[in-house]
Amino acid sequence: MSPSGVRRQWEVVPSDIAQKTHNPLRNVVENLRLEPNPEKSMIALSIGDPTVFGNLKPPVEVIEAMQESLLSIRYNGYAPSTGHQEAREAVARYSSSAAVTVHSQDVVLCSGCSCALDLAITVLANPGQNILVPRPGFPLYRTLAESLGIHVKSYNLRPERGWEVDTMHLEQQIDASTAALVVSNPSNPCGSVYSRQHLRDILQVARAKFVPVIADEIYEHMVFPGQTFHPLASVSDDVPILACSGITKRFLVPGWRMGWITIHDRHGIFETAGVRAGLQRLSQRILGSNTLVQGALASIFTRTPEKFFQDTIMTLQCHANIAYDMLKGAKGLTPLMPKGAMYMMVGINMAEFPDFASELNFVEQMVTEESVFCLPSKCFDYTNYMRLVLTVPEEQLREACHRITAFCKRYHRPEDADSHKGNTDVVETCTSNCSAALRESRDLIVPKDASISP
Ligand SMILES: *Cc1c(COP(=O)(O)O)cnc(C)c1O
């Protein structure tokens, strides 16, 4: 601008907030040289959208609920910015159990779980304050916080203990400027599912340091047989919690953009602070979430057959077993068996792959030679791992694991002579014995296409 304050030319620049907004995952991936081998079909084990391969579909009941919502012509107008009362009541019922009661006034509907996390972070933290996030962890927490000038500090997870939180490290990271602690359970990228006792231990730290918790529970209930999902709120007597979830992953409809926050505030700490009113005000920035999905929500929850959830879990678990069994035979790799969600972390013993400076080069070269892409753990602020998605069709997953195994065999250099022993060639074998279960689950997930089309 000229001294007189009158512009002589266009001076449009993107705002600070736009310039401070970065997606760490995009940044990492865009800097990789990804040139697949033209001789081999590309298999992307990187995509966190369960619908892209076409093998996993929402149940017919959910599609019908959306049709009815649309045809009713009742959901074309604006809803209250926190959502229609009936939809909030539906979420309250869905989120309540013997251990937690959620009331509809404690539900804020959002445009996906991402938006729920955005509101939760924004309502609790000021620019200059910090939030604590897990490492390795979902990169969105950082994207959302840093664009608002909120700092991000990481607390470590412990792979050798099923990716439990290092509570000592967590406690050390908390300072006077810590506005919230983000807990991810079940975890993306780790596939970990925390026990009640471990959740109690985490809450104990939050309680001692008076830090409210944001629980990212978008994978709630998506746990393998024998595991139990405990909502963080069901374990907390007093620590105030904003729980974030949605229908995205469990109902296999990421594009529908329906998520929510449930406020858990038994001692009125949030209420006294005006957090509920703050969420209400923030929700007015985008005037609420998609009303057609709101109109369908009650039916989606009540009509989806239990069998649909079991089938999805069965498929994910069988895929986990296949990937685990195949990759535990690959030289230099250590797959870690998940307990839930849709991912598996695979450790790469970089010392045994001297050709590569880091896991970034490793995954890059695997694309070049094998046309298989797994996300490097740098995307999750971690090193020496890659993350596989378990939602790809079984045949592609097997093929990918074969190629990964062959790739490792080609580049593996034992650290010393001793590590030669016990190295058998397992490229061709998969010891997984879940094929019967898989056959069954494949029968179960045969799409009822005819009934889906309108
Ligand atoms: C997919 C995902 C989300 C975002 O879900 P949307 O409802 O699509 O916004 C949030 N947190 C984690 C850990 C996720 O994996």
Side-chain angles (χ1 to χ4, degrees):
M1 239 181 269
S2 71
S4 66
V6 180
R7 290 193 185 108
R8 308 254 177 241
Q9 58 190 7
W10 291 104
E11 291 171 14
V12 181
V13 285
S15 66
D16 291 347
I17 194 166
Q19 299 201 49
K20 276 189 300 194
T21 304
H22 297 283
N23 180 336
L25 200 153
R26 286 268 149 75
N27 292 353
V28 171
V29 173
E30 278 167 11
N31 283 314
L32 294 177
R33 183 182 32 79
L34 298 177
E35 289 157 7
N37 181 345
E39 319 246 287
K40 296 183 179 181
S41 64
M42 183 67 190
I43 306 178
L45 299 183
S46 55
I47 307 171
D49 178 341
T51 70
V52 289
F53 301 97
N55 54 331
L56 297 174
K57 297 177 189 172
V60 169
E61 291 82 355
V62 166
I63 306 295
E64 285 169 355
M66 274 295 276
Q67 278 183 312
E68 284 166 26
S69 174
L70 176 64
L71 294 174
S72 76
I73 327 219
R74 288 175 53 210
Y75 298 102
N76 295 331
Y78 288 118
S81 61
T82 54
H84 279 301
Q85 180 60 21
E86 65 198 55
R88 295 169 72 194
E89 278 167 12
V91 171
R93 281 192 300 275
Y94 175 74
S95 306
S96 293
S97 63
V100 226
T101 309
V102 179
H103 301 286
S104 61
Q105 70 266 25
D106 294 321
V107 176
V108 179
L109 298 187
C110 301
S111 184
C113 183
S114 316
C115 176
L117 290 162
D118 187 20
L119 293 197
I121 292 170
T122 308
V123 82
L124 292 178
N126 275 315
Q129 289 191 296
N130 66 70
I131 60 165
L132 299 187
V133 306
R135 177 171 53 213
F138 190 54
L140 180 69
Y141 313 134
R142 182 176 293 275
T143 305
L144 295 173
E146 288 182 346
S147 82
L148 298 171
I150 298 161
H151 302 298
V152 173
K153 295 176 78 175
S154 300
Y155 59 88
N156 294 336
L157 305 183
R158 304 172 65 191
E160 75 287 0
R161 292 194 42 105
W163 301 104
E164 281 188 350
V165 173
D166 180 340
T167 48
M168 203 113 82
H169 187 244
L170 171 64
E171 189 155 1
Q172 288 162 2
Q173 294 305 102
I174 297 174
D175 61 35
S177 301
T178 302
L181 158 63
V182 178
V183 175
S184 184
N185 177 53
S187 158
N188 176 6
C190 302
S192 46
V193 177
Y194 293 154
S195 68
R196 261 188 103 74
Q197 184 54 50
H198 187 57
L199 293 173
R200 265 197 213 105
D201 295 344
I202 296 169
L203 286 171
Q204 177 56 36
V205 176
R207 178 184 305 112
K209 301 283 184 175
F210 303 101
V211 179
V213 178
I214 297 170
D216 184 349
E217 297 180 341
I218 188 68
Y219 297 98
E220 60 182 338
H221 310 296
M222 296 185 74
V223 300
F224 297 162
Q227 305 293 330
T228 310
F229 165 73
H230 302 285
L232 191 65
S234 72
V235 182
S236 176
D237 297 326
D238 49 358
V239 176
I241 296 169
L242 297 179
C244 300
S245 186
I247 59 173
T248 298
K249 305 287 173 26
R250 194 177 185 216
F251 293 85
L252 301 172
V253 288
W256 289 10
R257 313 310 302 136
M258 174 54 69
W260 52 78
I261 297 175
T262 53
I263 305 170
H264 303 270
D265 185 31
R266 291 191 191 171
H267 287 207
I269 293 149
F270 280 155
E271 196 59 34
T272 310
V275 167
R276 179 204 311 271
L279 285 171
Q280 162 87 41
R281 280 193 296 272
L282 286 172
S283 72
Q284 288 165 3
R285 287 168 49 95
I286 61 161
L287 305 182
S289 69
N290 185 304
T291 52
L292 288 173
V293 189
Q294 290 186 32
L297 215 41
S299 297
I300 289 174
F301 293 144
T302 54
R303 287 201 227 150
T304 300
E306 194 52 36
K307 194 167 157 301
F308 164 78
F309 299 126
Q310 290 165 1
D311 291 353
T312 310
I313 287 295
M314 173 79 84
T315 303
L316 291 170
Q317 191 189 28
C318 284
H319 289 193
N321 286 340
I322 289 169
Y324 183 84
D325 281 350
M326 291 183 76
L327 295 181
K328 78 176 195 285
K331 289 172 182 166
L333 296 188
T334 311
L336 297 183
M337 189 64 187
K339 295 179 177 166
M342 318 185 314
Y343 314 96
M344 175 182 283
M345 286 285 262
V346 177
I348 309 169
N349 189 347
M350 294 311 304
E352 297 174 24
F353 295 102
D355 292 274
F356 306 115
S358 72
E359 94 272 357
L360 293 170
N361 307 106
F362 182 96
V363 301
E364 231 172 26
Q365 193 62 20
M366 204 158 72
V367 171
T368 308
E369 294 181 22
E370 300 293 343
S371 299
V372 173
F373 183 44
C374 303
L375 281 186
S377 54
K378 187 167 205 295
C379 295
F380 309 101
D381 197 19
Y382 208 58
T383 54
N384 299 356
Y385 279 81
M386 56 184 176
R387 187 200 73 174
L388 276 59
V389 306
L390 299 172
T391 49
V392 294
E394 183 187 334
E395 283 320 306
Q396 280 192 55
L397 183 67
R398 284 184 187 278
E399 172 64 19
C401 289
H402 272 300
R403 294 193 205 165
I404 292 171
T405 306
F407 180 80
C408 289
K409 193 178 175 206
R410 206 173 308 136
Y411 283 98
H412 187 257
R413 307 278 178 274
E415 266 186 296
D416 53 64
D418 277 353
S419 42
H420 274 301
K421 52 176 197 247
N423 267 347
T424 48
D425 187 1
V426 284
V427 176
E428 297 306 324
T429 59
C430 167
T431 54
S432 173
N433 57 3
C434 66
S435 49
L438 263 172
R439 248 192 319 279
E440 195 182 320
S441 88
R442 221 182 290 122
D443 293 342
L444 298 176
I445 59 171
V446 166
K448 309 169 192 83
D449 286 323
S451 50
I452 290 181
S453 51

